[in-house]
Amino acid sequence: MFSIPCVIFAGGKSSRMGEDKALLPFGGFSTLTQYQYNKLSQLFSHVYISTKNSTKFDFEANFIEDIEDVYAPTLGFISAFKTLKVDAFFAISVDTPFITQEIFSKIINADKKNYNATIAKLNGKVQPLCGIYHQTLLNDFEEMLREDRHKLGFLLQKKETKYVAFEDENLFLNLNHPHEYTKALNLL
């Protein structure tokens, strides 16, 4: 098991999906979030769910709630660091259910204490919600929130970031639109 904590980001608006994707049924579970929580709990010793409202879920889990009216991962990172009080954690989006143990392992093994982040890169494209973030970024996240800037890619470009290359697009399938959800159901 991986000892680094894992935080599932499940607090977005899901505007492209048209409904809360965190609540979509998936893989024999009542929600995609429960599927991810169950899967990741078998790989990580501590798993948390970052969300706006934990009462929308009908299962027991470790929740980190972001009650401010900001729908950006920036707030989730701040809440996670302040709640967990850890040097680093693995951040994963709720809508990437096919990330494998091998991918987690490769990123975790590439991480070093002197990095601010160690992030997956799929065919040259940064995957900001699949990687390790270090507490050294907390002040940057707070500044981004104050200035209403939420692009993680810009932050990662400015900081000491290690990128880990991957090529299999199906493993990084991101369920943003209904057709991607349908494709994911077929891949199961």
Side-chain angles (χ1 to χ4, degrees):
M1 274 205 155
F2 302 123
S3 59
I4 187 170
C6 179
V7 178
I8 302 167
F9 281 72
K13 280 187 177 178
S14 302
S15 52
R16 292 175 284 183
M17 184 63 74
E19 60 184 301
D20 190 342
K21 59 186 163 188
L23 298 178
L24 293 172
F26 196 82
F29 290 89
S30 60
T31 66
L32 180 59
T33 307
Q34 189 175 9
Y35 172 86
Q36 285 282 68
Y37 188 78
N38 183 68
K39 173 186 166 182
L40 297 172
S41 293
Q42 296 172 34
L43 302 175
F44 291 85
S45 54
H46 302 287
V47 179
Y48 303 86
I49 299 169
S50 174
T51 184
K52 290 284 178 207
N53 180 3
S54 64
T55 62
K56 69 182 180 179
F57 300 109
D58 64 355
F59 62 95
E60 291 293 316
N62 300 310
F63 293 102
I64 300 170
E65 289 190 294
D66 310 315
I67 55 174
E68 288 186 44
D69 195 27
V70 175
Y71 288 89
T74 315
L75 182 59
F77 281 103
I78 294 168
S79 298
F81 279 121
K82 288 185 173 183
T83 301
L84 302 178
K85 297 177 178 25
V86 294
D87 291 329
F89 64 84
F90 200 108
I92 187 77
S93 176
V94 71
D95 62 0
T96 52
F98 298 115
I99 303 293
T100 63
Q101 180 174 352
E102 292 74 26
I103 292 171
F104 290 119
S105 185
K106 191 172 177 184
I107 293 169
I108 290 168
N109 289 333
D111 189 54
K112 304 282 184 259
K113 287 191 183 297
N114 62 314
Y115 297 147
N116 296 120
T118 302
I119 305 297
K121 203 174 215 185
L122 176 64
N123 296 322
K125 188 172 189 283
V126 176
Q127 305 296 306
L129 280 179
C130 182
I132 297 170
Y133 285 80
H134 289 259
Q135 200 271 340
T136 54
L137 292 172
L138 179 57
N139 290 337
D140 296 283
F141 284 123
E142 290 175 330
E143 181 181 328
M144 289 170 68
L145 185 63
R146 279 192 305 275
E147 296 177 0
D148 197 28
R149 291 183 294 112
H150 304 289
K151 298 284 186 193
L152 296 175
F154 292 136
L155 172 66
L156 295 171
Q157 286 175 353
K158 294 187 324 185
K159 296 298 179 175
E160 189 66 35
T161 302
K162 169 71 174 176
Y163 294 102
V164 182
F166 297 97
E167 295 178 3
D168 189 339
E169 296 198 7
N170 281 336
L171 296 178
F172 285 86
L173 180 62
N174 192 290
L175 314 184
N176 283 320
H177 300 92
H179 72 275
E180 292 161 335
Y181 175 57
T182 301
K183 179 178 180 179
L185 293 176
N186 290 331
L187 284 173
L188 279 175

